[in-house]
């Protein structure tokens, strides 16, 4: 993995979503680096860690991250939330808090979880990757921006930044899609020992609006905030609001107050 560190103050680690890299968090860096030390992660197969052939296995990745950046609040966006949540569940003595940003404990809809996407979505993306790699990635970017009140601007930013560190590894992309399709961490949420903030966009087409509040309701010391006009990348379309919520949460955690 690659970790870029910016700013100064209490530690906040940021983990990107599928096919992305830590550079996408620039809007949050611009707003938070004055008060916090931001550790921007590139997961194996992505960004500056494109040649890192370690598996996208949340348990092992979480262990490695808390070893390199102990005593931090961890933020995970989308797929990155699975790693951040794993770190909080498995290493409560080395993690100060958790921010889930458009990151559900279960992405796929089921009989007991109406807050997901259809079961074929991620497998279909996997099949499409092997036929049209770049076109499939662009289609996923469009899906991430879809629904936001500033969708065209968000899509422009995603397209401009997504590949500025090179294309992600096809192997890592397929592993990531399998995680999105299969992981289900809902049963572990009642055991979460740390304060958590669940930030979502009401217009998100990948994580339906009810998912994050429903997940937060399963975890103690949690708070859910739904951003009205945001989609799946609220840190792009609603950066000021997202940064303000993170700042409030960081101050609360630092003060040792309930979330």
């Amino acid at each position: 993995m690659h970790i870029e560190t910016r700013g100064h103050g209490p530690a906040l680690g940021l983990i990107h979503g599928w096919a992305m890299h830590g550079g996408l968090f620039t809007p949050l860096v611009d707003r938070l680096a004055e008060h916090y030390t931001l550790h921007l992660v590139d997961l194996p197969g992505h960004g500056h860690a494109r040649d890192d052939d370690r598996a996208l296995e949340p348990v092992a990745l979480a262990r490695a991250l808390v070893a390199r950046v102990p005593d931090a609040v961890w933020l995970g966006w989308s797929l990155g939330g699975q790693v951040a949540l794993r770190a909080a569940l498995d290493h409560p003595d080395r993690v100060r808090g958790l921010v889930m940003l458009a990151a559900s404990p279960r992405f796929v809809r089921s009989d007991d979880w109406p807050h997901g996407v259809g079961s074929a979505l991620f497998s279909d993306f996997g099949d499409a990757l092997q036929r049209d790699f770049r076109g499939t990635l662009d289609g996923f970017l469009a899906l991430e921006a879809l629904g936001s009140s500033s969708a065209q601007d968000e899509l422009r930013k995603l397209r401009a930044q997504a590949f500025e560190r090179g294309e992600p590894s096809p192997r890592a992309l397929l592993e990531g899609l399998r995680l999105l399709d299969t992981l289900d961490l809902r049963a572990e949420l009642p055991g979460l020992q740390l304060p958590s903030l669940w930030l979502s966009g009401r217009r998100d087409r990948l994580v339906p609006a009810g998912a994050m509040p429903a997940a937060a309701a399963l975890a103690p010391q949690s708070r859910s905030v739904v951003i009205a006009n945001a989609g799946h990348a609220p840190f792009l379309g609603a950066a000021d609001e997202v940064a303000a919520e993170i700042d409030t949460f960081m101050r609360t955690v630092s003060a040792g107050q309930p979330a």
Side-chain angles (χ1 to χ4, degrees):
M1 282 180 293
H2 175 84
I3 300 178
E4 175 186 352
T5 300
R6 304 275 298 277
H8 58 273
L12 172 64
L14 300 97
I15 309 173
H16 62 81
W18 186 79
M20 300 292 109
H21 54 78
L24 268 290
F25 289 119
T26 294
L28 296 182
V29 173
D30 292 343
R31 290 161 173 81
L32 296 172
E34 184 177 351
H35 303 290
Y36 304 104
T37 301
L38 306 178
H39 301 278
L40 308 172
V41 176
D42 283 356
L43 292 172
H46 297 76
H48 293 314
R50 186 188 189 282
D51 295 330
D52 185 336
D53 61 1
R54 280 179 289 181
L56 283 185
E57 203 291 301
V59 172
L61 295 176
R63 185 189 308 117
L65 285 173
V66 300
R68 291 181 62 177
V69 186
D71 198 35
V73 170
W74 283 99
L75 178 152
W77 169 47
S78 194
L79 175 64
Q82 300 285 356
V83 180
L85 179 54
R86 195 74 262 163
L89 288 167
D90 294 349
H91 307 281
D93 56 331
R94 309 190 78 176
V95 177
R96 294 183 59 82
L98 171 70
V99 180
M100 297 287 278
L101 180 58
S104 175
R106 179 185 173 98
F107 281 82
V108 174
R109 186 167 59 245
S110 65
D111 290 342
D112 63 347
W113 186 252
H115 313 297
V117 296
S119 59
L121 177 67
F122 299 118
S123 59
D124 287 349
F125 267 109
D127 292 340
L129 271 177
Q130 300 177 62
R131 297 192 303 270
D132 181 4
F133 184 82
R134 198 65 182 264
T136 301
L137 292 181
D138 191 68
F140 196 84
L141 297 181
L143 184 59
E144 288 185 317
L146 191 65
S148 170
S149 61
S150 55
Q152 290 302 315
D153 183 56
E154 287 184 29
L155 181 56
R156 178 183 57 78
K157 291 176 181 177
L158 285 167
R159 282 173 169 161
Q161 295 180 301
F163 308 118
E164 67 181 3
R165 297 183 179 182
E167 291 183 348
S169 156
R171 173 200 57 81
L173 293 183
L174 290 172
E175 289 181 358
L177 288 172
R178 284 194 290 271
L179 288 176
L180 291 169
D181 192 38
T182 60
L183 275 184
D184 184 354
L185 300 180
R186 292 175 297 161
E188 298 189 59
L189 291 179
L192 186 62
Q193 301 177 38
L194 306 167
S196 58
L197 172 64
W198 300 71
L199 288 171
S200 55
R202 190 176 302 281
R203 299 183 176 186
D204 193 335
R205 300 299 175 86
L206 278 170
V207 179
M212 302 287 282
L218 298 173
Q221 305 183 69
S222 67
R223 186 166 69 94
S224 170
V225 176
V226 180
I227 300 173
N229 295 317
H232 190 62
F235 58 91
L236 296 180
D240 288 339
E241 189 171 351
V242 170
E245 292 290 350
I246 294 170
D247 179 52
T248 298
F249 180 74
M250 293 288 293
R251 293 175 186 274
T252 298
V253 169
S254 296
Q257 299 172 3

